[in-house]
Amino acid sequence: MSDLQDSSAEGNGFRRLAAPTEGDYALRREVMVERQLRKRGIRDERALAAMLSVPRHEFVPPESAGEAYDDRPLAIGHGQTISQPFMVAAMAEALKLSGSERVLEIGAGSGYQAAVLSLLARQVQTVETQEELALACRERLQRLGYDNVRVHIGDGTLGWADQAPYEAIVVTAAAPDIPPPLLAQLAEGGRLLLPVGTTEAQQLQRVERRGAEIVTRALHNCRFVPLIGQYGWKPRGG
Ligand code: SAH
């Protein structure tokens, strides 16, 4: 986005040093949607509109706000990352949301992806194992007004049985296999999206329940942080 910074700084040496305004961020979002998403094949107009609307710079540490719209994942503390914008959009598109769905997200992290999904579905339940991340995420989503998202603290490999079944489930951390509780909590016709593979490299898979049949399709290659829990990877040293 350095070209944008340069153009807003034209003929004004001081502007370059000033913190970006909300208007600058809005412009960066537009460029992100055009160059990183639309140009690379994201077609779902509702998903594109959601990506245009959610202030990603509010979901990263303040010192990274200037990089919030860059084409890459960013560190959010506690060894975790907020996914690259393209991956968030590609996942939203693959879930084929129409607005009526109950969605379950595993791996709330910053809450960014949950915020995007909340604009595309009726209700989002998101589960996070790390308490500090979960509490910060809950506070942030509340402050920004995403009031159809509920943040839960727990092991998301067990799903969130309370509100099951879900028309869409998305796992934003890498799983060694499909956690059985997630399949069990998937509604008829529902879509489960998750990265499956090793801790180093995975394939994004879309699993659909059609009656007794489970149909699995491989989408993108990807790299996520590990899913740690009963049906994920074992905690380090434990
Ligand atoms: N969707 C997030 C990015 C998530 S990074 C965002 O938009 O910011 C993956 C997250 O999954 C991390 O926060 C990590 O702590 C969490 N995680 C790992 N194992 C988990 C588990 N078993 N249950 C719930 N969350 C888990």
Side-chain angles (χ1 to χ4, degrees):
M1 299 293 135
S2 56
D3 49 339
L4 264 185
Q5 270 166 358
D6 289 347
S7 69
S8 68
E10 241 170 37
N12 180 346
F14 293 110
R15 201 46 211 288
R16 204 182 291 269
L17 297 172
T21 62
E22 287 304 314
D24 294 333
Y25 285 130
L27 194 57
R28 289 180 196 189
R29 270 198 301 284
E30 270 181 46
V31 175
M32 172 190 83
V33 166
E34 290 310 313
R35 294 191 192 160
Q36 298 178 36
L37 309 183
R38 216 184 273 280
K39 240 189 183 166
R40 287 197 200 134
I42 306 291
R43 291 283 168 267
D44 180 340
E45 288 298 332
R46 294 179 70 244
L48 291 166
M51 296 294 292
L52 192 59
S53 148
V54 179
R56 185 171 161 94
H57 60 281
E58 297 278 2
F59 292 82
V60 301
E63 62 275 17
S64 308
E67 295 145 67
Y69 299 97
D70 289 3
D71 187 16
R72 61 189 171 92
L74 287 173
I76 55 171
H78 303 274
Q80 306 304 328
T81 57
I82 177 174
S83 305
Q84 180 190 19
F86 176 79
M87 190 51 72
V88 175
M91 289 174 101
E93 182 169 67
L95 286 172
K96 299 185 278 190
L97 300 171
S98 68
S100 61
E101 295 83 0
R102 287 158 300 173
V103 176
L104 174 65
E105 179 193 40
I106 309 305
S110 68
Y112 175 70
Q113 196 158 355
V116 170
L117 294 171
S118 79
L119 299 178
L120 302 171
R122 179 151 58 94
Q123 176 76 239
V124 178
Q125 311 290 329
T126 184
V127 186
E128 172 57 53
T129 36
Q130 297 204 43
E131 187 174 355
E132 272 183 64
L133 280 175
L135 295 176
C137 171
R138 185 181 289 160
E139 181 279 323
R140 178 180 296 123
L141 289 168
Q142 241 161 38
R143 175 168 51 83
L144 297 172
Y146 294 99
D147 47 22
N148 59 339
V149 185
R150 297 282 169 278
V151 182
H152 307 284
I153 303 169
D155 175 6
T157 70
L158 304 173
W160 195 259
D162 228 36
Q163 307 287 324
Y166 303 96
E167 285 77 34
I169 302 180
V170 58
V171 182
T172 69
D177 280 302
I178 301 173
L182 299 186
L183 266 187
Q185 292 173 24
L186 196 59
E188 170 57 32
R191 286 81 63 196
L192 161 63
L193 198 65
L194 82 173
V196 179
T198 66
T199 52
E200 296 304 312
Q202 309 95 34
Q203 214 174 33
L204 189 63
Q205 295 190 358
R206 184 171 63 205
V207 183
E208 298 194 35
R209 175 187 288 288
R210 296 188 199 143
E213 216 190 336
I214 298 292
V215 183
T216 301
R217 187 167 158 210
L219 307 173
H220 308 263
N221 289 328
C222 54
R223 185 177 178 163
F224 283 79
V225 296
L227 180 72
I228 311 285
Q230 187 173 330
Y231 295 100
W233 304 95
K234 297 294 163 260
R236 243 184 287 171

